[in-house]
Amino acid sequence: QVQLVESGGGLVQAGGSLRLSCVSSGRTFGRSAMAWFRQAPGKGRVFVAAISWSGGSTFYAESVLGRFTISRDNAKNTVYLQMNSLKPEDTAVYYCAASNQGLLRTPKVEYEYNYWGQGTQVTVSS
């Protein structure tokens, strides 16, 4: 069983930055595609960013393109989400997700991912 633990959330003013981290307990982390999703109050969970097992392929939601960067350190079993130029509409619980596959055909959909973290709250004030 893979456990994912997110950290790095918090309260930040609009225009500020945060970096989220997600540490995996999985022995096959280096062969797993990873992603971040988010869920705003009263809304469903939506895709934010994804990265292939090697880091060679990344994918982003249009709403965060150019502001957020996903990266990974396979030596540390960790995936990151650098969030810059934050907006109040970025306020949400952010979830880390891991797949059993390294490169996904549809990395933006939830069913591609087998394991989920508990989430970390990000609040952006105006």
Side-chain angles (χ1 to χ4, degrees):
Q1 185 71 9
V2 174
Q3 291 187 329
L4 303 173
V5 179
E6 303 99 334
S7 63
L11 174 64
V12 64
Q13 289 188 332
S17 298
L18 283 175
R19 188 176 82 155
L20 305 184
S21 300
C22 171
V23 179
S24 170
S25 67
R27 296 181 179 180
T28 59
F29 176 84
R31 298 194 295 274
S32 299
M34 302 292 295
W36 290 94
F37 287 75
R38 69 186 181 186
Q39 186 168 20
K43 297 186 178 180
R45 191 158 57 186
V46 298
F47 171 79
V48 175
I51 189 167
S52 62
W53 67 274
S54 67
S57 296
T58 56
F59 308 86
Y60 295 94
E62 283 196 19
S63 60
V64 306
L65 196 60
R67 300 187 298 122
F68 291 12
T69 302
I70 188 171
S71 61
R72 65 189 298 159
D73 185 339
N74 287 347
K76 296 182 178 180
N77 273 27
T78 302
V79 63
Y80 304 99
L81 185 68
Q82 178 66 45
M83 306 186 294
N84 298 328
S85 302
L86 282 161
K87 304 175 181 180
E89 50 263 45
D90 293 318
T91 294
V93 176
Y94 283 71
Y95 297 92
C96 175
S99 173
N100 285 331
Q101 301 182 58
L103 185 62
L104 304 174
R105 296 182 64 181
T106 52
K108 298 183 180 182
V109 295
E110 288 193 36
Y111 66 71
E112 290 278 22
Y113 299 93
N114 307 96
Y115 308 101
W116 293 82
Q118 292 300 307
T120 185
Q121 176 70 47
V122 172
T123 303
V124 184
S125 63
S126 57

